[in-house]
Amino acid sequence: MLWNQIQQEATVIGWDFYGPVLIFVALIALGVPVWAAIGAGAVSMLLISEVLPLSLLGESLFDGIDHFALTAVPLFILTGDVLVRTKLSRKFLDVAEALTCWARGGFGSATVLVCGMFSAISGSDAAGAAAVGRMTIDRLVESGYPRPYACALVAAGAWTGILIPPSITYIVIGLVLGISASTLFQAALIPGILILISILVTNIVVNRSHAYEGGGLISFRDWLANVGQALARGWYAFLVPGVIFWGIFSGRLTPTEAGATAVMITILLGFILGTLKLSDFPAMMVSSAKVNGIILPIVAMSLPLAQAMAAMGVPQGFVFAVTSITDNPYILILLMIAILIAAGCVMETTPNIVILAPLLKPLADQIGMNEIQFSIMMITALGVGFITPPLGLNLFVVSGLTGESILKIAARAVPFVFFMLLVVLLIAYVPVVSTILLPDIYK
């Protein structure tokens, strides 16, 4: 019945859609800011198609970002910035190093773990790459890792910033598709951990095959003593992720409330430890505002574009066009993954979410994929682009820190990409991976 309805309602996609898309692509190629390119595409689509009055654009822009859930975005960004300035992030590294010191390649594994720990607070992968890279890349090189590989390891580990909750990307996709961010956070926990494990396993395999780092092989008693000492010196740093996870997963705090609580705890710890001063606040606010100022304009401009495409019937037309080629759900899933990875390689996650989610969600519905599984698959597939040229945001971050060639770093990241793709396929074809923590919603 649904298929027949889609066939009947499908709209032929014409130049009133392709024209604005070409304008958008041309502006991006010319280096125009993404939010401005999306805005130009939205305005031109409204003018050419006349499906909605242009006078609604202003109202749509403000209504699009007038959501309580979006308040969590600057709060988590600020939390990550305060963690770095108060040096609390170094406590995570100390504990991660103590946990992995028993194994050969322990510091490489510690680097991946601290990326996950930092990501579980800041919700940003670029911030994680910068913060962790400053602390670990030189030490990784001293431990025996080639510098390009050390950069690739940090870039891959920081990718968990958009996967391990709380993640800014899940707030955005929840807003676009009308899904609770708290629900997405719970669903994303297992896939995020699987990605973290895949990066750990990849590093262990590469380290063993090339003998980059030695060490390890200490007794269980010594290992336990190291962990105990690290926790005794820095247990208070874990109050921040502890409050976030407890608040969100217990349902006692919304993501916004959890972000506000995390900011207050981090600032309070900074004052108690003497690592934060009032004079630090202007710089912290400006730094966080710059990051937030990149995300929200993109969201604001993308929503009118999504509304115009919906009014033109573009999602239905897209589904009809794709399913006319094949209706095999396994092939359609592969096609969606390919589209998402290709898009993630050339554009940032936020505009990809707002533009592609309304297009691909009807296709996911057609093949029986629930909205939670689709959201997790989409974010994970887009994330592969963070360590894949030509955009490769994390590659640019670590390259800027070290001066290493982006192509050299990308070449060393290939094993991580391979194992990440395996996890993407697992999420896409095995629904329980992303719904196991939501038994009351998706059975």
Side-chain angles (χ1 to χ4, degrees), residues 119-196:
S119 300
I121 300 169
S122 68
S124 171
D125 62 293
V132 177
R134 289 189 182 97
M135 294 188 294
T136 62
I137 289 177
D138 287 340
R139 286 190 57 186
L140 285 168
V141 174
E142 291 173 3
S143 299
Y145 292 96
R147 188 171 290 274
Y149 179 81
C151 294
L153 180 63
V154 171
W159 177 42
T160 56
I162 68 167
L163 302 175
I164 297 179
S167 168
I168 294 171
T169 52
Y170 288 120
I171 296 174
V172 175
I173 198 171
L175 173 67
V176 173
L177 298 181
I179 307 172
S180 164
S182 296
T183 301
L184 288 172
F185 285 168
Q186 293 180 50
L189 184 59
I190 299 299
I193 291 174
L194 286 177
I195 286 292
L196 191 66

Side-chain angles (χ1 to χ4, degrees), residues 20 36-49 54 57 301 304-305 308:
I38 293 174
V43 170
S44 59
M45 190 174 294
L46 290 172
L47 288 173
I48 296 172
S49 67
L54 190 61
L57 182 62
M301 288 295 182
L305 179 63

Side-chain angles (χ1 to χ4, degrees), residues 83 86-92 94-95 121 228-243 262 265-275:
L83 277 174
T86 56
K87 297 182 174 54
L88 289 174
S89 54
R90 292 190 174 273
K91 301 300 180 183
F92 296 136
D94 293 340
V95 172
I121 300 169
Q229 291 171 7
L231 286 173
R233 291 192 299 265
W235 62 270
Y236 45 84
F238 290 86
L239 290 174
V240 182
V243 166
I265 291 175
T266 311
I267 290 174
L268 183 61
L269 287 173
F271 281 135
I272 293 174
L273 297 171
T275 54

Side-chain angles (χ1 to χ4, degrees), residues 175-327:
L175 173 67
V176 173
L177 298 181
I179 307 172
S180 164
S182 296
T183 301
L184 288 172
F185 285 168
Q186 293 180 50
L189 184 59
I190 299 299
I193 291 174
L194 286 177
I195 286 292
L196 191 66
I197 291 173
S198 76
I199 299 170
L200 281 169
V201 170
T202 305
N203 178 62
I204 291 171
V205 171
V206 172
N207 185 68
R208 288 297 179 89
S209 61
H210 292 83
Y212 286 151
E213 181 183 4
L217 303 177
I218 66 174
S219 67
F220 177 75
R221 178 178 295 180
D222 291 339
W223 173 81
L224 202 60
N226 286 340
V227 173
Q229 291 171 7
L231 286 173
R233 291 192 299 265
W235 62 270
Y236 45 84
F238 290 86
L239 290 174
V240 182
V243 166
I244 292 174
F245 276 89
W246 169 81
I248 292 175
F249 285 91
S250 68
R252 296 180 182 273
L253 298 174
T254 65
T256 300
E257 292 167 344
T261 305
V263 168
M264 294 306 299
I265 291 175
T266 311
I267 290 174
L268 183 61
L269 287 173
F271 281 135
I272 293 174
L273 297 171
T275 54
L276 187 66
K277 303 183 294 293
L278 287 175
S279 58
D280 294 325
F281 276 74
M284 287 193 304
M285 295 299 181
V286 169
S287 174
S288 300
K290 285 181 178 178
V291 178
N292 193 54
I294 296 172
I295 296 172
L296 290 187
I298 292 174
V299 174
M301 288 295 182
S302 299
L303 292 178
L305 179 63
Q307 291 172 354
M309 289 192 296
M312 293 167 59
V314 172
Q316 293 90 339
F318 177 78
V319 173
F320 178 71
V322 172
T323 51
S324 342
I325 302 172
T326 178
D327 58 358

Side-chain angles (χ1 to χ4, degrees), residues 159 162-163 169-170 173 191 195 333-349 352-353 356 360 369 373-388 417 420-428:
W159 177 42
I162 68 167
L163 302 175
T169 52
Y170 288 120
I173 198 171
I195 286 292
I333 288 174
L334 282 177
L335 179 61
M336 284 195 290
I337 292 174
I339 291 172
L340 292 169
I341 291 177
C345 289
V346 296
M347 195 162 59
E348 296 174 1
T349 305
N352 275 326
I353 290 172
L356 293 178
L360 297 180
M369 180 181 290
Q373 183 189 8
F374 168 74
S375 300
I376 305 300
M377 179 197 73
M378 180 173 189
I379 298 301
T380 310
L382 286 173
V384 176
F386 280 102
I387 56 172
T388 309
V417 173
M420 289 171 180
L421 289 176
L422 294 180
V423 178
V424 173
L425 293 173
L426 181 66
I427 294 169

